[in-house]
Amino acid sequence: MNVIQATRLVAAREIRVKLRDRTFLFGTLFFLLIAAAGTILPPLLSGGPQSVAVTQEAAGPLRAAGLEVRVVPDDPAAEQAVRDGDVDAAVVSGPAVLAMDEAPDEVVRALSTAPPVRLLDPDAVDPVVAFLVPFVFAFVFFLTSQTFGLQIAQSVTEEKQTRIVEILVAAVPVRALLAGKVIAGGILALGQIALIAIVAVAGMQIGDSGELLTLLAPAIGWFVPFFLLGFVLLAAMWAAAGALVNRQEDIAGASTPVQLAVMLPFFAVIFLNDNAAAMRLLSYLPFSSPTAMPLRLFTGDAAVWEPFVSLAILLATAGAFVVAGARIYEGSLLRTNGRTSLRAAWRERETIG
């Protein structure tokens, strides 16, 4: 069995095991429900246009504002429609607006004369969207890399702890074990994100947020390759961290550098997303570029050539970390006499596989 066949075998096994894991399945379902609720519920909860009772003379401007207009014969009938709950508000002679317990803002705005407005930056992103988009990009990358990376580390440590790894390396090259676990984790993570994206897109269509989807499409398209390379980089680090220890309880200590490499970029993108200089720097740093560069593409701050350069830097860095992670993985996988130091794993790797 060559390395490619062994890698395919290991990846297939890891995927089958995970797809039978109820925790993974329920977690995926939970995220799908969040994606559906986050895109469908806000438009539904905001309600439709306010309904208003008016006489025929006042109906014109209210209809032009998109309100539901009910024409009544006189002012007393309009007031009674409000009291009966048939309409949200009424416009009577004066003019005056009647409502039960809350001012009908839409009706008031429709009756008001607003001065003309000239936007100096008509293409500017809505402030709420400008806050949510970087949070979503950063959160998706943070959560998936943390969750699936930790699972890779736990799988490696479990095989060491049960000593089944000694049987595995007799039949499968060590590098194939590492590659299979990383590939399986990447496929599962990307599959989960794809499902969430499909549900979110469908929710946006149902919630009539097609304009936002149009703005997000280029950024989402670039997020996929950035995510894959960023995940490979971190997965190699997680696998190496798992191989350094012999017990599940020790993973937290060994994986501290990896967790910092995930958490610090997450908070940096969240808190510095309105700082152009900081975001430009973050979009080229390998650990933060998977979220920072797609965000700059969404806001229109990145030139056409920038994502290609950033992706090339990330690719080179991911390759270097995979090579280094494989060497540490090989040097510590069969060491079961306590935690292995990085120096020992690097210098004295086992001549196996």
Side-chain angles (χ1 to χ4, degrees):
M1 182 183 300
N2 59 37
V3 175
I4 295 178
Q5 292 173 329
T7 299
R8 189 183 301 124
L9 180 65
V10 173
R13 174 188 173 276
E14 293 288 331
I15 292 174
R16 284 197 301 270
V17 170
K18 189 54 63 179
L19 291 179
R20 296 192 190 103
D21 185 357
R22 291 186 178 181
T23 302
F24 172 75
L25 296 177
F26 281 122
T28 302
L29 179 60
F30 175 72
F31 290 128
L32 293 177
L33 292 175
I34 290 180
T39 52
I40 296 174
L41 290 182
L44 295 179
L45 295 177
S46 64
Q50 289 185 327
S51 57
V52 56
V54 294
T55 58
Q56 184 64 45
E57 294 77 11
L62 297 174
R63 283 200 179 99
L67 300 177
E68 296 180 5
V69 176
R70 177 180 175 182
V71 178
V72 295
D74 50 35
D75 290 351
E79 180 177 343
Q80 190 60 43
V82 176
R83 293 185 180 277
D84 293 341
D86 297 332
V87 294
D88 299 314
V91 179
V92 298
S93 302
V97 178
L98 305 179
M100 287 301 296
D101 54 14
E102 186 177 356
D105 295 333
E106 290 186 48
V107 177
V108 174
R109 284 195 298 269
L111 296 174
S112 303
T113 302
V117 177
R118 182 166 58 92
L119 298 178
L120 298 178
D121 188 8
D123 297 326
V125 180
D126 181 87
V128 176
V129 175
F131 170 78
L132 289 178
V133 169
F135 179 80
V136 170
F137 274 127
F139 182 73
V140 167
F141 183 72
F142 168 79
L143 188 64
T144 52
S145 58
Q146 188 86 349
T147 301
F148 288 95
L150 180 59
Q151 289 172 359
I152 290 173
Q154 290 174 337
S155 175
V156 172
T157 305
E158 182 182 6
E159 290 171 355
K160 286 189 65 176
Q161 191 170 7
T162 58
R163 304 185 76 90
I164 195 175
V165 68
E166 298 175 8
I167 301 175
L168 291 174
V169 297
V172 178
V174 176
R175 291 189 178 184
L177 279 176
L178 174 62
K181 291 179 183 297
V182 172
I183 291 173
I187 291 174
L188 290 169
L190 189 61
Q192 189 179 75
I193 291 176
L195 286 175
I196 294 172
I198 291 172
V199 171
V201 168
M204 288 182 183
Q205 297 291 349
I206 295 173
D208 196 23
S209 301
E211 184 177 351
L212 176 59
L213 182 59
T214 302
L215 292 173
L216 279 172
I220 293 175
W222 275 105
F223 179 67
V224 173
F226 273 98
F227 170 83
L228 286 175
L229 290 178
F231 181 85
V232 169
L233 186 157
L234 292 171
M237 296 176 64
W238 276 109
L244 290 174
V245 297
N246 299 321
R247 302 183 307 161
Q248 301 279 349
E249 297 83 358
D250 298 331
I251 292 178
S255 64
T256 298
V258 191
Q259 295 185 52
L260 290 176
V262 176
M263 292 173 58
L264 292 180
F266 170 75
F267 289 111
V269 172
I270 293 298
F271 292 113
L272 300 176
N273 67 84
D274 57 348
N275 187 317
M279 288 301 296
R280 187 177 298 109
L281 175 62
L282 290 173
S283 66
Y284 288 102
L285 296 178
F287 291 101
S288 55
S289 61
T291 52
M293 183 55 77
L295 175 59
R296 290 186 63 215
L297 291 168
F298 169 71
T299 57
D301 295 333
V304 176
W305 56 268
E306 289 191 77
F308 294 98
V309 175
S310 177
L311 197 62
I313 295 173
L314 180 58
L315 175 61
T317 307
F321 270 81
V322 167
V323 172
R327 177 162 180 165
I328 295 171
Y329 183 83
E330 290 181 342
S332 56
L333 192 60
L334 293 183
R335 296 177 179 272
T336 57
N337 56 343
R339 178 172 173 176
T340 307
S341 67
L342 279 173
R343 181 179 300 227
W346 183 267
R347 291 184 175 180
E348 305 173 19
R349 78 175 163 176
E350 302 287 348
T351 57
I352 55 177

PDB file of all heavy atoms in Angstrom, residues 268 272-273 275-283 285 288 292 296:
ATOM      1  N   ALA A 268      -8.581  40.125  16.919  1.00  0.00           N
ATOM      2  CA  ALA A 268      -8.000  41.231  16.163  1.00  0.00           C
ATOM      3  C   ALA A 268      -8.935  41.671  15.048  1.00  0.00           C
ATOM      4  O   ALA A 268      -9.166  42.877  14.846  1.00  0.00           O
ATOM      5  CB  ALA A 268      -6.642  40.824  15.596  1.00  0.00           C
ATOM      6  N   LEU A 272     -10.631  45.322  15.305  1.00  0.00           N
ATOM      7  CA  LEU A 272      -9.892  46.254  14.445  1.00  0.00           C
ATOM      8  C   LEU A 272     -10.455  46.322  13.036  1.00  0.00           C
ATOM      9  O   LEU A 272      -9.796  46.846  12.137  1.00  0.00           O
ATOM     10  CB  LEU A 272      -8.420  45.838  14.384  1.00  0.00           C
ATOM     11  CG  LEU A 272      -7.654  45.806  15.712  1.00  0.00           C
ATOM     12  CD1 LEU A 272      -6.239  45.279  15.495  1.00  0.00           C
ATOM     13  CD2 LEU A 272      -7.615  47.194  16.342  1.00  0.00           C
ATOM     14  N   ASN A 273     -11.676  45.818  12.823  1.00  0.00           N
ATOM     15  CA  ASN A 273     -12.199  45.755  11.461  1.00  0.00           C
ATOM     16  C   ASN A 273     -12.463  47.128  10.858  1.00  0.00           C
ATOM     17  O   ASN A 273     -12.584  47.253   9.641  1.00  0.00           O
ATOM     18  CB  ASN A 273     -13.471  44.894  11.411  1.00  0.00           C
ATOM     19  CG  ASN A 273     -14.630  45.532  12.157  1.00  0.00           C
ATOM     20  OD1 ASN A 273     -15.355  46.378  11.621  1.00  0.00           O
ATOM     21  ND2 ASN A 273     -14.813  45.141  13.405  1.00  0.00           N
ATOM     22  N   ASN A 275     -10.323  49.651  11.300  1.00  0.00           N
ATOM     23  CA  ASN A 275      -9.010  50.277  11.187  1.00  0.00           C
ATOM     24  C   ASN A 275      -8.365  49.791   9.882  1.00  0.00           C
ATOM     25  O   ASN A 275      -7.930  48.648   9.771  1.00  0.00           O
ATOM     26  CB  ASN A 275      -8.138  49.893  12.389  1.00  0.00           C
ATOM     27  CG  ASN A 275      -6.823  50.631  12.413  1.00  0.00           C
ATOM     28  OD1 ASN A 275      -6.168  50.778  11.392  1.00  0.00           O
ATOM     29  ND2 ASN A 275      -6.422  51.092  13.587  1.00  0.00           N
ATOM     30  N   ALA A 276      -8.316  50.667   8.887  1.00  0.00           N
ATOM     31  CA  ALA A 276      -7.862  50.264   7.549  1.00  0.00           C
ATOM     32  C   ALA A 276      -6.423  49.752   7.559  1.00  0.00           C
ATOM     33  O   ALA A 276      -6.105  48.744   6.918  1.00  0.00           O
ATOM     34  CB  ALA A 276      -8.002  51.430   6.582  1.00  0.00           C
ATOM     35  N   ALA A 277      -5.533  50.438   8.274  1.00  0.00           N
ATOM     36  CA  ALA A 277      -4.127  50.031   8.306  1.00  0.00           C
ATOM     37  C   ALA A 277      -3.963  48.673   8.979  1.00  0.00           C
ATOM     38  O   ALA A 277      -3.216  47.802   8.497  1.00  0.00           O
ATOM     39  CB  ALA A 277      -3.297  51.090   9.019  1.00  0.00           C
ATOM     40  N   ALA A 278      -4.655  48.474  10.099  1.00  0.00           N
ATOM     41  CA  ALA A 278      -4.561  47.209  10.819  1.00  0.00           C
ATOM     42  C   ALA A 278      -5.126  46.066   9.975  1.00  0.00           C
ATOM     43  O   ALA A 278      -4.541  44.972   9.918  1.00  0.00           O
ATOM     44  CB  ALA A 278      -5.298  47.299  12.150  1.00  0.00           C
ATOM     45  N   MET A 279      -6.242  46.295   9.299  1.00  0.00           N
ATOM     46  CA  MET A 279      -6.840  45.253   8.488  1.00  0.00           C
ATOM     47  C   MET A 279      -5.963  44.909   7.289  1.00  0.00           C
ATOM     48  O   MET A 279      -5.909  43.749   6.862  1.00  0.00           O
ATOM     49  CB  MET A 279      -8.230  45.690   8.024  1.00  0.00           C
ATOM     50  CG  MET A 279      -9.277  45.696   9.124  1.00  0.00           C
ATOM     51  SD  MET A 279      -9.492  44.072   9.901  1.00  0.00           S
ATOM     52  CE  MET A 279     -10.117  43.128   8.512  1.00  0.00           C
ATOM     53  N   ARG A 280      -5.273  45.892   6.747  1.00  0.00           N
ATOM     54  CA  ARG A 280      -4.365  45.617   5.635  1.00  0.00           C
ATOM     55  C   ARG A 280      -3.238  44.681   6.092  1.00  0.00           C
ATOM     56  O   ARG A 280      -2.873  43.741   5.392  1.00  0.00           O
ATOM     57  CB  ARG A 280      -3.788  46.926   5.090  1.00  0.00           C
ATOM     58  CG  ARG A 280      -2.952  46.733   3.820  1.00  0.00           C
ATOM     59  CD  ARG A 280      -2.452  48.058   3.273  1.00  0.00           C
ATOM     60  NE  ARG A 280      -3.552  48.929   2.894  1.00  0.00           N
ATOM     61  CZ  ARG A 280      -3.907  50.030   3.559  1.00  0.00           C
ATOM     62  NH1 ARG A 280      -3.233  50.399   4.646  1.00  0.00           N
ATOM     63  NH2 ARG A 280      -4.908  50.770   3.141  1.00  0.00           N
ATOM     64  N   LEU A 281      -2.696  44.956   7.281  1.00  0.00           N
ATOM     65  CA  LEU A 281      -1.655  44.095   7.824  1.00  0.00           C
ATOM     66  C   LEU A 281      -2.195  42.703   8.129  1.00  0.00           C
ATOM     67  O   LEU A 281      -1.576  41.685   7.784  1.00  0.00           O
ATOM     68  CB  LEU A 281      -1.073  44.722   9.088  1.00  0.00           C
ATOM     69  CG  LEU A 281      -0.036  43.894   9.856  1.00  0.00           C
ATOM     70  CD1 LEU A 281       1.189  43.636   8.987  1.00  0.00           C
ATOM     71  CD2 LEU A 281       0.352  44.599  11.148  1.00  0.00           C
ATOM     72  N   LEU A 282      -3.367  42.634   8.768  1.00  0.00           N
ATOM     73  CA  LEU A 282      -3.953  41.349   9.132  1.00  0.00           C
ATOM     74  C   LEU A 282      -4.299  40.509   7.906  1.00  0.00           C
ATOM     75  O   LEU A 282      -4.281  39.272   7.969  1.00  0.00           O
ATOM     76  CB  LEU A 282      -5.221  41.573   9.974  1.00  0.00           C
ATOM     77  CG  LEU A 282      -5.020  42.120  11.382  1.00  0.00           C
ATOM     78  CD1 LEU A 282      -6.353  42.461  12.026  1.00  0.00           C
ATOM     79  CD2 LEU A 282      -4.261  41.113  12.253  1.00  0.00           C
ATOM     80  N   SER A 283      -4.601  41.163   6.802  1.00  0.00           N
ATOM     81  CA  SER A 283      -4.985  40.415   5.601  1.00  0.00           C
ATOM     82  C   SER A 283      -3.793  39.732   4.935  1.00  0.00           C
ATOM     83  O   SER A 283      -3.985  38.924   4.021  1.00  0.00           O
ATOM     84  CB  SER A 283      -5.676  41.342   4.598  1.00  0.00           C
ATOM     85  OG  SER A 283      -4.781  42.325   4.108  1.00  0.00           O
ATOM     86  N   LEU A 285      -1.098  38.511   7.113  1.00  0.00           N
ATOM     87  CA  LEU A 285      -0.566  37.588   8.113  1.00  0.00           C
ATOM     88  C   LEU A 285      -1.284  36.244   7.985  1.00  0.00           C
ATOM     89  O   LEU A 285      -2.513  36.201   7.961  1.00  0.00           O
ATOM     90  CB  LEU A 285      -0.747  38.155   9.520  1.00  0.00           C
ATOM     91  CG  LEU A 285       0.023  39.441   9.835  1.00  0.00           C
ATOM     92  CD1 LEU A 285      -0.297  39.908  11.244  1.00  0.00           C
ATOM     93  CD2 LEU A 285       1.530  39.228   9.676  1.00  0.00           C
ATOM     94  N   SER A 288      -4.372  35.291  10.256  1.00  0.00           N
ATOM     95  CA  SER A 288      -5.563  36.154  10.232  1.00  0.00           C
ATOM     96  C   SER A 288      -6.091  36.402   8.823  1.00  0.00           C
ATOM     97  O   SER A 288      -7.227  36.844   8.659  1.00  0.00           O
ATOM     98  CB  SER A 288      -5.254  37.502  10.890  1.00  0.00           C
ATOM     99  OG  SER A 288      -4.127  38.116  10.284  1.00  0.00           O
ATOM    100  N   ALA A 292      -9.532  38.175   7.435  1.00  0.00           N
ATOM    101  CA  ALA A 292      -9.311  39.598   7.163  1.00  0.00           C
ATOM    102  C   ALA A 292      -9.405  39.927   5.679  1.00  0.00           C
ATOM    103  O   ALA A 292      -9.998  40.941   5.292  1.00  0.00           O
ATOM    104  CB  ALA A 292      -7.955  40.036   7.720  1.00  0.00           C
ATOM    105  N   ARG A 296     -12.023  42.490   3.727  1.00  0.00           N
ATOM    106  CA  ARG A 296     -11.606  43.666   2.951  1.00  0.00           C
ATOM    107  C   ARG A 296     -12.198  43.621   1.541  1.00  0.00           C
ATOM    108  O   ARG A 296     -12.512  44.667   0.961  1.00  0.00           O
ATOM    109  CB  ARG A 296     -10.084  43.738   2.883  1.00  0.00           C
ATOM    110  CG  ARG A 296      -9.413  44.087   4.208  1.00  0.00           C
ATOM    111  CD  ARG A 296      -7.923  44.285   4.021  1.00  0.00           C
ATOM    112  NE  ARG A 296      -7.658  45.416   3.133  1.00  0.00           N
ATOM    113  CZ  ARG A 296      -6.645  45.455   2.274  1.00  0.00           C
ATOM    114  NH1 ARG A 296      -5.814  44.425   2.173  1.00  0.00           N
ATOM    115  NH2 ARG A 296      -6.461  46.507   1.513  1.00  0.00           N
TER     116      ARG A 296
END
